[in-house]
Amino acid sequence: MMEEKNGKQHLEAVCPSKKDKLDLETARARIAETKGPEYWRSLEELAGSTEFQEMMHREFPKGASEWADAVSRRGFMKLMGASLAMAGMTACTKQPLEPIVPYVRQPEEVIPGRPMFYASAFSLGGYATPVLVESHMYRPTKIEGNDQHPASQGGTDVFAQASILDIYDPDRSQNITYRGELSTWGAFMAAMEQPLIAQNAANGSGIRVLTGTVSSPTLADQFAQMRARYPQSKWHVYEPVNRDNVIAGARMAFGQPVETIYKLDAADVIVSLDADFLYGGFPGVTRYARDFAKRRNPDSGNMSRMYVIESTPSSTGAKADHHLPVRAVDIEPFAQALASGVSSGSQPMSLKGEQQRYLSAIVKDLQNHRGASVVIAGDHQTPAVHALAHAINQSLGNVGKTVFYTEPVNANPVNQSDSLKDLIADMRAGKVQFLLIAGANPLYDAPADLGFADALQSSNIPLRVHLGLYQDETSQYCHWHLNETHYLESWGDARAYDGTVSIVQPLIAPLYGGKSLYEVMALLAGQSEMTGHEVVKDYWRSKHSGVDFDAFWRKSLHDGWIEGTAFTPRSETAKGAAASSSISSLASNAGDNSLEINFRRDPSIYDGRFANNGWLQELPKPMTKMTWDNPVLVAPAMAQRMGLKSGDLVRLDLNGKNLVAAVWIQAGHPDNSVTTFLGYGRSRAGRVGTGLGFDVYPLRPSATPWFTAGANISKTGGTYLLASTQGYQTMETPNGDSRPLVRTRSLEEYKKEPNFAQDDKPPAELTLYPGYDYKSEPYSWGMTIDLNSCVGCNNCIVACQSENNIPIVGKEQVNKGRHMHWLRVDAYYQGDRDNPKAYFQPVPCMQCENAPCELVCPVGATTHSTEGLNDMIYNRCVGTRYCSNNCPYKVRRFNFFLFQDWETPQYKMMRNPDVTVRSRGVMEKCTYCVQRIAEHRIDAEVADRKIADGELQTACQQSCPANAIVFGNINDPNSEVSKLKANSRNYGLLQDLNTRPRTTYLAEIRNPNPELEAQA
Amino acid sequence: MVRPTEVEVGEDKVPVLAPGHTFVSLTDKISNIVLKRPIKLGWVFGFLVAFSVMQGLLFGATYLFLKGVGIWGVNIPVGWGFAIVNFVWWIGIGHAGTLISAILLLLRQSWRNSINRFAEAMTLFAVACAGMFPVLHLGRPWLAYWLFPYPNTMGYWPQFRSPLVWDVFAVSTYFTISLVFWFVGLIPDLATLRDRTDNSLIRFTYGALAMGWRGSARHWARYETAYLLLAGLATPLVLSVHTVVSFDFAIGIVPGWHTTIFPPYFVAGAIYSGFAMVLVLAIPIRRFYDVKDLITDRHLENSAMVMLATGLIVAYGYAMEAFMNWYSGNPYDSFLQWNRLHGPYAPYYLALLFCNIALPQILWIRKFRTNSIWLFLISMDVLVGMWLERFIIVVVSLTRDFTTSAWGMYYPTRWDWAIFMGTLGMFTAAMFLFVRILPMISIFELRTLLPEAEVKHE
Amino acid sequence: MIVEPIFGMMAEFDTPTDIVVAARRTSEAGYKKIDAYSPFPIEELAEAIGFHHNGVALIALIGGLLGLSGGFMLQWWVSTISYPVNIGGRPFNSWPSFIPVTFEMTILFAGLSAVFGMLVLNGLPMPYHPVFNVPRFVRATEDKFFLIIFSSDPKYDAVQTHAFLESLGARSIAEVPS
């Protein structure tokens, strides 16, 4: 990669290199070339290797005295970062990895073996997801949703769930380094003194701070103070996945940035203009998913209807009653037509064919639901589309009913690409004396055509400081690298999508020391030497008016949010002008046949910041079920024209730049359009993430960062291995018949034939045996999964992985069909490949009462519990795999190798101590979180009561934002699960096999518009 | 014991024993192969080749124990691959040996006397090869003994409803009974070798093995009873073994496994492949050791006819399976049939039909039944075909079962092949050793075929 | 000279017919403790020396019954008494599933007891036996047939027995030292 090359030269400029290589070099190389889960094995060998031993047994490695060679020095750093059992081996530098709080006197509230929960908040793109963190003896082990919090109500998204893996990531930067050399906070402070004095004189004209999106009031305040001290200092904000268009759209409509909040449970009709608001990363997604699901109950009589017009298939589109794939550039004209149609009330005839058909239907539907409808524009759509959406919502009278406007959550709602451009300009102009890059990685993810890398190199900025979790692409160009603390290690605060402030409280003292942005900013804000805790607490003390601050503080920490910080909706009037604004050039100059290219955040690793998170890398992406890669999505029709197969390599050309990447044929993708995903192809992510997939940032234009027409695609002839967890994505078998896996009807049909899902339910007496009497037991556990509610957000998969210590296996093993997820979410496509219906089906173990797997186990390693659980006895299993063969649902997972990492001490801390860590050659599968059942049973027995309904939740259920999963005691007729199982939509997967599954599904009911159905 | 007269009457066939032999000539001819015949270069070469191929097994198994079954192509959904295919295939081959020595004995088919000895040896070696796979394919092979019911600190036992436990009992019983049957048959011949060698060490060895056999009439009487009883017991046993093996699949609910026709059709298939293997061994043996007068064209022809018959039963099995897949109206079964014919593994299914059904039909023509070259080729073809049958049943059924989202493919790795080939090498090497150190043809049973062995009644 | 104790007197014959006839006449002549040796089984011969019943079948039957009951009882006890577990909702005593193992155990025990019964009754293994002292006896496992009258027989008399055996047309006659 271009930057990489220049980087090397530049680096030599920063740190003059000597030619002699240390033996570390070889070690470094050896780690560097291994990635994915194998890397532990190779590290293990490395640890055994003589040079490593020798190196570790000296206080400093050979040649430490002449710390000249930058590469080897970084090699050593990397080794430090990488090395397992590092803490044990080096006495000098770091804190022990064991619980930080000394255990001499056991704090009262800690009962060994009993987890405790702390409220905190996970931030992504500036928006906080309130969470509860489970802590075993001061070790955070699991993220759960904060069910008290208005913005979460118990749900989380995949990123929050997986963040627990990041804090224990052994690749995290573990030291402060100066020019790649080990250094200290003290040394850094000393080094800052002179420059800051100089800046004082110059009013801070040379100070620039670049951060990601920030919603933290405390930070905002710190920046304010910085500007007070250094009037001419500047705060720049840039994230590759930003909401510039949203803000611009708001400015168009209201003349100022506003936050738009939707109330989906009040909406009868939802129209999404390219908005994927049901998948993690969209602000407020957890609440939206919950509200959306509330209105999708066909028995409630007020089931909502959703239209999704989108440019790339998304889980939101999959849930739509009507889904229309159009190119992103065609969304704006559609929005135009929609707006004029809605406002004028007349039927606009401006569009062609299918689009017109949808348009007229949608217009009619919207007009019939004034005040009870909502139009949502996608973050990446043009400002015009957002303005139009505002106008439509307004003319429909939705504002104040389903749509609310508040002041922006974003503390610094500038246009981020402009902000970055300014910074680069200043850098070029040599105005920058001191640059702090915090929580941003512009070297990797800034649009290439802005030339951030060049600017950084050509301009000679005397002091460049990088604060980050990793030694990443950017850190190697900065003099100072400060290892940042993870949010579970540090104090802070952040706003949720509705403005509610959550205090971020640490669960554990920083594993590797490290500083938070608050602590670094304290320097510039003149709060020198204040800890993050003091900074945050002082800020809120200053804001606190009431009497007893400590009570307020304790309550806020306990609840996980601060009372009354939610923004109050304000009345905004969209200027009609916006609605009639002419089509922007982006849309207008795109001919029907010019190829459009989309740039989207990756469903798993977002903008690349999670690239080193194995859970997310191996998380099957909702629509493609792809893991470890970011293939380019193309429409089936286009693939046919070009003779492409999934896995073929293509060359994409755009404005003189090009990219060679693999393609994936995606049903329901609009023609003449391709979708690429950001975040892959990183050069310094860590051993998991480095070098995976294809880096599309170099191709991404700063002017049109989300989509643009005029791209070129050509087949290169090469092929590439893509590892998808679901090879066959339809319920139709090739011989032309279809299997009733996901059972679905339209609302009308369902009303006519409510029991359609149960037709093949075998009668209870259909057995040779006297059945086991579960009724007489106190508990019989069962689960229902409401396919109507499930939005395919993948959250349950990660929650399960985290709760049950499930290993990752790597791309090659996934490709062989050996992924270990206990719970998978199947995606099925049905009908027209150009615009298919799509369905999600989460599949955990069915816990069959007549379990076929148990019958065939020769050693009785899987047996049935009195409570109806299909138990797996790991230490009895000899690994015949017969049970898996005989499982019609194929939910059993086998340790073909020693997949689990048994060495890395960090991971030992992360694991759930209540769940066995499985070894090689053993079968495993979903247990209904039996450890949680046991825990609650014990509590109940101690208290001499029965487990109350809802008190016991499985991991997947707890964090499900849509409440699709319900678990409970089916012996109790009043439990929620019993009621749901009595529902006429309730059916067992493959129930005709008479396996009598305890996990059952509620059939999916869609609510199509009869008008569109009729013509279709 | 069977008299030649009882079989030869009114038959114009090639005799089961070439005329002109006497007690002495028979004894000389067979025992000299062991005692006098020098070791030929061909034997050494053949043995070395087999032995080196066998290393595939040793290396494969070692690496397997180090790394885990992941080195094979197995996955989810295809939990069973080559290991189980080979297991079923080898077990099947073993069946011919027992059939010849036991069932044909009960049916008083005197011609079995000249081929039962090495057929039984073949059984033992085949079952030994088969027996390794269930252990090798375990995720934790070092715990294989948990499948045996022995009192243990866990107080836990095998799960007797599992066909795999039935396998353990069936296969181990089968191996034990075959072993004693074979050894009992050897005792009088061992005595013969003991009395004919002039090398004291060899005499001591065979003598110890013969346990002091002296051919007393009383001994013979008890011996004959025991031998007949063993035959009578081995007959239902051999039928039960492949039945139980077929239960591994029939008990499962996987489409393509869950069918009642498996037991008979597995047994027929076993005998089919078994006789193919007998011919593959007999044809070169009678050539290189020049015992065409003892293993005559008559034996080849009879074996060929048995192959033809069992082949037809197998064909019936396939036809019935296909018919039921359609007639049952079960969508999973009908898809299974479609998948076999049009799915990704269709070529193997068609190859199987050709090898097991089409080609062997030429055995209707006598010319092919008596031409040892053709017989050899056809037998080879049947062995391949029967291996494919097990592949189709075990693997292809698993690749696409109930839940379409969990469909997969199976690709064997080089380790799958190494271990499979390794067992072929082990089997061949064992046969090479056998023909040199034990009488490959039962001497005392052949004696009874001689006219002079007849007691004339005045 | 030292007179060795005599084990018996052995006559050699060429054909199965001769030995059968000779054996029959010997027992008709009132000799009780006799035996005959042949390189292959001859049904008439056992009859001729008055050996009618052997216990092998009975032993096998008993063994078989032991295997049958033992095999089933083991499974039944394990699955219902010792450690009953709910396996796929099947009853603890799933007797149909116990049939295969029961069957195999029956065969195993019956087969082994038949073989070991035979060996024990035959007194095998027996490394030394006086008849091996007769040099010609090596042919007994090849092509010759031998008849022996044990010295323990009341009618045994060195001279008369020798004469009697000659009268049977024996090919050669030898005294068997013990």
Side-chain angles (χ1 to χ4, degrees), chain A residues 814-844:
Chain A
V814 169
N815 183 59
K816 280 196 160 87
R818 295 171 179 176
H819 50 280
M820 298 298 285
H821 297 136
W822 285 5
L823 188 165
R824 65 175 195 264
V825 178
D826 291 337
Y828 292 113
Y829 295 90
Q830 203 176 43
D832 172 15
R833 64 179 191 167
D834 297 323
N835 184 8
K837 288 186 159 48
Y839 304 98
F840 294 117
Q841 183 171 44
V843 186

Side-chain angles (χ1 to χ4, degrees), chain A residues 739 818 826 881-882 888 890, chain B residues 72 79 156 162 248 401 403 405:
Chain A
R739 298 191 173 173
R818 295 171 179 176
D826 291 337
R881 303 183 296 291
Y882 198 174
K890 291 289 175 284
Chain B
W72 289 345
Y156 205 43
S162 166
D248 288 349
D401 67 351
T403 320
S405 63

